[in-house]
Amino acid sequence: MTAIPLCVDLDGTLTASDLLIESFLALIKRNPLYAFRCMAWLLRGKGYLKAQIAARVAIDVSLLPYNARLVDFLKQERSSGRDLYLCTASDQRFAEQIASHFGFFKGVMASNETRNLSSEHKAGALTAEFGPRGFDYCGNARADIPVWKQARKAIVVGGKSIQAAAQKVNQATVIFENKRSFIRLAVKEMRVYQWVKNLLIFVPLLASHRFTNADALIADGIAFLSMCFCASSVYLLNDMLDLDADRRHNRKRRRPFASGEFPLAAGICLMFVLLALSACLALMLPTKFQLALAGYVATTLAYSFRLKRVMLVDVFVLAALYTARIVAGGMAVNVVLSDWLIMFSVMIFLSLAMVKRYTELDKMQREGKASAAGRGYLTEDMSIVRSFGTAAGYLAVVILALYMNSANIRVLYSHPHRLWILFFLLLFWISRVWMVAFRGEMHDDPIVFSIKNRASFTVIALCVLTVIIAI
């Protein structure tokens, strides 16, 4: 048996990722206009496309999500004297880097500018090299079926359907079962728990005292779902663009894309489906909401591709994106927002964005790192970030106090003096959020922390109750 070489596929087999998609995402992250060049390269063949992308991007192969069980199996085979070959449709550059990383492959067969080593082409190349039935082959997809037909033994990495397909053409099958709950992983990657942020859509309804209007509630409900689907599509794109940085992060490396549990191809499809659903719902609402949603998408794309890596600009954009949810909620029900609400929103969300960055820097410092991966901050910036954040938070409290002394308040509220409860609740809440962050006990996202934390949730509920009793 040791005289029979074992040929191993790469994408989806040795590693859970897909290097063509991963390298493409790394390329358009550098410059989205490369997407058009990729179309031109594809006209000259898939192998040429892969070669051109590989020549322009670098992937840290040590961070790729490898199949640990298969790696252990390959090490055992190599220790018994068996020759191992890495045979992949990925580009030669990446394949050689991965082979060098492991050190137990005798040779590499991969795609280049003139050939795409996949399916029948791979079967022909292996048969020419080792002869019919002169090799064992380890793969994971239907594209590997022609190779298994020519192999002495099929080694399958995958679920029931691909196992059955392999056994039809090669009875000598060894199985490394790979069970995945795609629905659970999709929901996790969509970050459904983050949809709580989109409740900001209903703020204009509450502020304009129209929360008992059924038509307005339905309109804002549609706007809420549209914004949720839109935000999830952006989260998917953001995580696909941030694979390298996420894999270097202690917690984010367990995300479905970074860990390889959820396929990148499925993620791209899901992203476009969610975006289409969001657009369909938006068409049911006023044109102003559609424009607000389009602006939100454009800003989030700019944030994902570039702005998130620019110091300070990133937190201002985050504050603007939170405020955009309130603006979109007002446009969905034709409510004109006051300058007071806009100013307050920008300041309070700027403070929370600073909390987010401060928390990340605090964790980096505790881990002995000098900077946050993929960001423009150093750990020595912590003190100034804390100063900016607390100042923005207290400025929001001051804006609220000035609003409660304005003439508008007496027109909108029957008992405006009761609103002073809001002043003390907000003063306590923003102070507590920063105290928790200073102690290193803050969740990465302060909005989610506020909902999950009992004290914060109680304060938010009391704020809503205060507005109602003041009306």
Side-chain angles (χ1 to χ4, degrees), residues 132-408:
R133 309 295 176 186
F135 62 94
D136 293 346
Y137 179 73
C138 180
N140 74 297
R142 293 191 176 276
D144 296 316
I145 291 176
V147 189
W148 282 322
K149 284 182 180 179
Q150 301 298 325
R152 183 186 70 97
K153 181 184 290 185
I155 300 174
V156 183
V157 177
K160 298 292 185 184
S161 61
I162 192 62
Q163 292 171 26
Q167 288 171 338
K168 286 181 180 179
V169 299
N170 194 319
Q171 296 300 313
T173 304
V174 178
I175 295 171
F176 287 83
E177 191 160 5
N178 187 6
K179 294 182 178 180
R180 294 176 179 174
S181 174
F182 282 103
I183 294 178
R184 179 184 63 82
L185 291 170
V187 170
K188 182 178 180 181
E189 191 56 66
M190 286 167 60
R191 299 192 220 174
V192 173
Y193 66 91
Q194 296 272 19
W195 287 7
V196 68
K197 297 176 181 179
N198 297 320
L199 291 173
L200 292 170
I201 289 278
F202 295 96
V203 168
L205 209 59
L206 180 64
S208 63
H209 309 169
R210 293 177 59 192
F211 47 84
T212 58
N213 186 308
D215 291 338
L217 279 172
I218 291 172
D220 258 357
I222 294 172
F224 171 78
L225 289 176
S226 178
M227 185 63 75
C228 287
F229 292 144
C230 179
S232 286
S233 70
V234 173
Y235 290 142
L236 290 168
L237 176 62
N238 190 62
D239 285 356
M240 287 189 284
L241 293 175
D242 272 357
L243 290 172
D244 185 77
D246 285 354
R247 287 170 183 160
R248 300 175 190 275
H249 193 279
N250 284 341
R251 181 182 59 82
K252 294 179 182 179
R253 65 186 179 188
R254 291 188 288 272
R255 286 177 173 173
F257 286 140
S259 65
E261 291 182 285
F262 195 64
L264 294 172
I268 292 173
C269 292
L270 180 60
M271 178 186 70
F272 283 112
V273 168
L274 290 171
L275 202 56
L277 287 173
S278 175
C280 290
L281 289 170
L283 291 175
M284 303 168 63
L285 298 171
T287 304
K288 291 187 292 184
F289 174 80
Q290 297 165 20
L291 293 174
L293 188 67
Y296 175 85
V297 172
T299 306
T300 50
L301 287 176
Y303 178 79
S304 296
F305 280 102
R306 175 59 183 161
L307 300 181
K308 67 189 299 180
R309 295 186 292 279
V310 182
M311 180 183 64
L312 293 181
V313 172
D314 62 329
V315 289
F316 284 102
V317 172
L318 283 176
L321 288 173
Y322 284 122
T323 305
R325 290 169 164 91
I326 297 176
V327 173
M331 290 181 172
V333 291
N334 291 313
V335 170
V336 178
L337 303 181
S338 70
D339 294 338
W340 292 107
L341 180 57
I342 297 297
M343 288 190 295
F344 172 80
S345 300
V346 170
M347 287 297 105
I348 194 69
F349 292 126
L350 179 60
S351 180
L352 294 179
M354 292 286 186
V355 169
K356 185 178 176 70
R357 289 293 172 262
Y358 175 83
T359 301
E360 291 174 353
L361 292 172
D362 183 54
K363 288 185 178 181
M364 293 298 104
Q365 187 179 62
R366 292 172 191 269
E367 294 167 3
K369 299 179 181 178
S371 62
R375 307 291 182 183
Y377 297 90
L378 304 175
T379 52
E380 61 192 48
D381 297 328
M382 285 177 58
S383 59
I384 190 65
V385 169
R386 184 172 63 238
S387 298
F388 288 157
T390 51
Y394 287 125
L395 184 55
V397 176
V398 171
I399 291 172
L400 178 65
L402 292 173
Y403 169 68
M404 288 189 293
N405 278 290
S406 69
N408 305 29

Side-chain angles (χ1 to χ4, degrees), residues 16 21 92 181 208 218-219 227 238 323 419 430-432 448 455 467:
I21 299 178
Q92 187 81 25
S181 174
S208 63
I218 291 172
M227 185 63 75
N238 190 62
T323 305
L419 287 175
I430 199 66
S431 301
R432 187 177 185 279
V448 176
V467 172

Side-chain angles (χ1 to χ4, degrees), residues 95-141:
E96 288 177 351
Q97 291 171 22
I98 290 169
S100 176
H101 170 70
F102 283 106
F104 50 58
F105 288 106
K106 184 177 181 180
V108 173
M109 299 176 69
S111 296
N112 54 38
E113 285 191 0
T114 58
R115 72 171 182 181
N116 182 43
L117 198 69
S118 177
S119 195
E120 286 85 1
H121 296 291
K122 184 184 290 186
L126 291 178
T127 302
E129 182 73 22
F130 304 112
R133 309 295 176 186
F135 62 94
D136 293 346
Y137 179 73
C138 180
N140 74 297

